[in-house]
């Protein structure tokens, strides 16, 4: 039996981790990302200052610790193929959130379909940060579809992109960046300066995955031409450099109009409309968006596996796990 290359070990682990997410989703207690968030929260209370430099140091410390730990774990495993594959599988399961995303979306969809607007409003904060108190059925459905689109990029595609580029350390470092952005990257009096570095780093880290999400959404769309047209026309209209890419592609793929006025507590945002000529969102579109998200996730997995193999080949690596293959003269 030929020894596994590192690219093959990554592929095996990534597929296993994706299957684990599909089967088990995120545990309600004891999730590694939640543990990271708790540790980062305690550190923030200690380090917080209304200062960008301190916030930058905080971000670097949190993300750097995760990345360094992942590198150390890989080195400790050496050239043991099953060990490396298991590490990648655990990391992939940890960072992916596609199954939990679609489960939450479908839970809200079922409440709306049953006419239980109160239950849908109560559940919406589990999916996004909008104030649900004044939202009607159509507005909640739109919020769910938009959240599925944005989080397909953040919770699935982006993590796999960084796994393709940097292996297990890339998977875990991106999840750390994205988690910090959710914790301190929003615009509030407390975090406007302290969270600046986390927000900007998340924008940079999310740039390639957001565009790949849009491309894969076009590929998975029932009508790719419409998805492509709406994405290319409206993708840059969104105030976020990344969220609009996935949301506009999803708008075209599902065939609905997204964007418009949003309420985040006392803060109201008037965002550009994506796919303005398309129909409004309905409750049934939640299921369509969830199915699209799953297709995009599978395409992203295949792309990540192929991409990681290409990166290993491009860097001239000939290492196999168990022995080192020599180049012929």
């Amino acid at each position: 039996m030929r020894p596994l290359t590192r690219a093959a070990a990554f592929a095996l682990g990534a597929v296993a981790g994706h299957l684990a997410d599909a089967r088990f989703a995120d545990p309600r207690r004891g999730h590694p990302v939640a543990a990271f968030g708790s540790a980062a929260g305690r550190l923030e209370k200690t380090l917080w200052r209304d200062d960008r430099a301190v916030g930058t140091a905080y971000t670097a410390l949190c993300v750097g610790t995760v990345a360094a730990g992942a590198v150390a774990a890989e080195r400790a495993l050496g050239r043991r193929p099953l060990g490396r594959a298991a590490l990648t599988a655990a990391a992939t399961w940890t960072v992916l959130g596609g199954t939990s995303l679609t489960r939450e979306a479908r839970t809200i969809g079922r409440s709306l379909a049953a006419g239980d607007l109160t239950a849908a409003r109560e559940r919406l904060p589990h999916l996004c940060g909008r104030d649900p108190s004044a939202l009607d059925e159509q507005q909640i459905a739109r919020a769910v579809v938009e959240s599925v689109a944005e989080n397909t990029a953040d919770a699935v595609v982006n993590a796999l992109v960084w796994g393709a580029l940097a292996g297990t350390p890339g998977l875990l470092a991106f999840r750390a960046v994205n988690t910090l952005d959710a914790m301190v990257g929003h615009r509030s009096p407390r975090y406007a300066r302290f969270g600046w570095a986390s927000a900007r780093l998340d924008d940079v880290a999310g740039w390639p995955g957001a565009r790949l999400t849009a491309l894969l959404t076009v590929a998975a769309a029932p009508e790719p031409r419409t998805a492509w047209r709406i994405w290319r026309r409206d993708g840059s209209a969104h105030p976020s450099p990344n969220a609009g890419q996935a949301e506009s592609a999803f708008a075209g793929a599902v065939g609905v109009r997204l964007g418009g006025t949003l309420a985040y507590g006392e803060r109201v945002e008037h965002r550009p409309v994506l796919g303005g000529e398309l129909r409004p969102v309905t409750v049934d579109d939640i299921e369509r968006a969830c199915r699209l998200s799953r297709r995009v996730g599978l395409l992203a997995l295949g792309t990540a596996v192929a991409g990681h193999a290409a990166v290993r080949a491009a860097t001239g690596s000939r290492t196999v796990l168990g022995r080192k293959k020599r180049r012929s003269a």
Side-chain angles (χ1 to χ4, degrees):
M1 181 177 177
R2 294 181 63 185
L4 288 175
T5 64
R6 291 188 177 181
F10 175 84
L12 180 61
V15 170
H18 192 279
L19 291 173
D21 175 66
R23 175 64 180 84
F24 303 110
D26 296 330
R28 299 189 181 278
R29 295 183 181 180
H31 196 290
V33 174
F36 168 79
S38 297
R42 291 192 295 270
L43 182 63
E44 183 228 321
K45 291 179 180 179
T46 301
L47 296 182
W48 185 88
R49 301 289 187 279
D50 189 19
D51 184 85
R52 281 189 178 183
V54 176
T56 300
Y58 166 79
T59 301
L61 180 60
C62 290
V63 177
T65 299
V66 170
V71 170
E74 282 198 331
R75 289 182 176 176
L77 290 169
R79 296 175 185 167
R80 286 175 280 184
L82 293 181
R84 279 182 171 266
L87 178 65
T88 299
T92 302
W93 168 77
T94 295
V95 304
L96 293 184
T99 300
S100 294
L101 169 65
T102 54
R103 283 184 181 178
E104 287 291 344
R106 284 169 169 148
T107 297
I108 297 170
R110 286 192 295 269
S111 295
L112 291 176
D116 193 344
L117 188 58
T118 299
R121 285 173 174 166
E122 290 176 351
R123 199 69 190 177
L124 187 63
H126 290 260
L127 194 63
C128 64
R130 300 180 198 179
D131 180 5
S133 59
L135 299 183
D136 60 21
E137 177 184 290
Q138 192 277 327
Q139 290 169 325
I140 291 177
R142 192 191 86 195
V144 172
V145 172
E146 289 173 353
S147 295
V148 168
E150 182 176 359
N151 286 294
T152 296
D154 284 343
V156 181
V157 181
N158 264 313
L160 291 171
V161 164
W162 285 101
L165 294 173
T168 298
L171 288 167
L172 295 175
F174 174 78
R175 179 53 58 218
V177 169
N178 192 242
T179 302
L180 287 181
D181 177 61
M183 293 175 62
V184 304
H186 43 88
R187 298 174 184 174
S188 68
R190 179 176 177 85
Y191 297 125
R193 293 171 62 82
F194 182 82
W196 175 85
S198 292
R200 298 292 79 76
L201 182 58
D202 185 68
D203 287 343
V204 172
W207 195 96
R211 277 98 191 137
L212 179 60
T213 301
L215 284 170
L216 296 180
T217 300
V218 171
E223 296 186 13
R225 290 184 180 180
T226 302
W228 173 269
R229 176 171 56 82
I230 300 300
W231 168 44
R232 299 306 298 158
R233 188 191 70 194
D234 297 343
S236 298
H238 197 285
S240 165
N242 297 325
Q245 305 297 316
E247 289 186 25
S248 60
F250 262 69
V254 180
V256 295
R257 182 167 63 245
L258 300 178
T261 301
L262 308 175
Y264 295 88
E266 297 180 355
R267 179 168 58 90
V268 176
E269 291 186 10
H270 300 283
R271 294 182 179 176
V273 174
L274 309 175
E277 71 274 29
L278 303 177
R279 61 178 176 80
V281 178
T282 67
V283 175
D284 291 341
D285 292 317
I286 293 175
E287 179 59 28
R288 295 187 182 96
C290 288
R291 291 178 181 176
L292 177 63
S293 176
R294 299 301 289 176
R295 292 197 297 272
V296 170
L298 287 171
L299 290 174
L301 175 64
T303 303
V305 167
H308 187 72
V311 168
R312 299 295 303 180
T315 55
S317 173
R318 302 288 288 177
T319 301
V320 295
L321 299 179
R323 62 186 175 92
K324 200 167 206 176
K325 189 174 182 179
R326 297 189 179 187
R327 295 180 182 273
S328 57

